[in-house]
Amino acid sequence: MKFRKFLAAGAGAALAFSLAACSGGGAGSSSDSSASGDDGAMMEEGGTIGVAMPTQTSSRWIADGDAVKSGLEEQGFEVDLQFAADDIPTQSQQIDNMITNGVKALIIAAIDGTALSSQLQAAADAGIPVISYDRLIRDSENVDFYVTFDNYNVGVQQATSLLVGLGLLNEDGSEGDASGPFNVELFAGSLDDNNAHFFWQGAMDTLQPYIDEGTLVVPSGQMDIEQAATLRWQQETAQKRMEDLLTGNYVGTDKKVEGVLSPYDGLSRGIITALQNNGYSGTVEDGFPVVTGQDAEVESVKLIVDGVQFSTIFKDTRKLAEQAVVAATAYLNGEEPEANDTETYDNGVKVVPSYLLESDIVYMDNVTELLIDSGYWTQEQVDKGVA
Ligand code: BGC
């Protein structure tokens, strides 16, 4: 249907573009192209694709932006890559500009998943396919495809690693030796990011039985996502909340925090700083609280190797970028990208066909295998904690 809409908008023929021709034989070899339109246009260039990323304050999004850009360039496209400093009006304006400048497709990692409806309407009116990148764009029918990870499972993995750190589970999933009860505190991401809800749901479904039986105790009582949320995923906000949780529930008592569910490495570092400022020290082995994470940001990978942060979730942004490139290229070839999930991601208006990737739990003992051997980070980057 969408495809027909693009064709109807006159975009299909002009955009028809042979991936094989472009990546293989270069600009001129379009003989195996299925393009029915103006071959001259194809021979010139692939056109520009707009890539809107949320922020550069997190190394994860810089890596995503770089990987999408180079993947698209390898396919012969030009790329307008923009970061929006986590500011919603900035991102809206960047996307407006991309549409005005005539991009052939949009790849968007939204800051606020509900704030882009008018941009997406303009994109649809111009026949520009929209790929929602990592975060689902909500409340709009003009989202054509979604590339992401299995976000519910990411939450399950975060909670699982917390249980492993506390000794309630072993890494292989079998029951651990510890029995608790353990004091834990819970953090969630930004409520305007659809992913935050999936991570939380996966995590809480995993932790709830332990809370119900009293093995895990949340001394603050803050167990709703609204209470645990961290607007814009800000490190300072998480640090402040952890400090408040300590002051309000632990300082002056004999209680100690033993674990913290954190859904993103930036938050984890804020939480760790708050704990350190309140007298918690050393490594997890020495009794420092078990703090989880997400994204395998190099600063946190160093903390994991140092034994201070317990775990993170590795989502290979190179693979995500590759899927975004595959999807964009499919649209520009007049095809529908291949989805492997057509049920999970309802954006409030429609279920968006999705391509989901798998993630891995990173512990100190598999950093080398998962992150260094795969070339995601070099040993030197991990040693220094700098990308
Ligand atoms: C991403 C996470 C990331 C978070 C904060 C989420 O939408 O899926 O990987 O940790 O945003 O940037």
Side-chain angles (χ1 to χ4, degrees), residues 60-61 134-135 193 195 199 233 264 294-295 315:
R60 147 156 212 189
W61 295 112
D134 191 80
R135 299 173 172 176
D193 179 347
N195 285 351
F199 302 150
W233 301 91
Y264 156 54
Q294 173 172 205
D295 290 340
K315 305 197 304 191

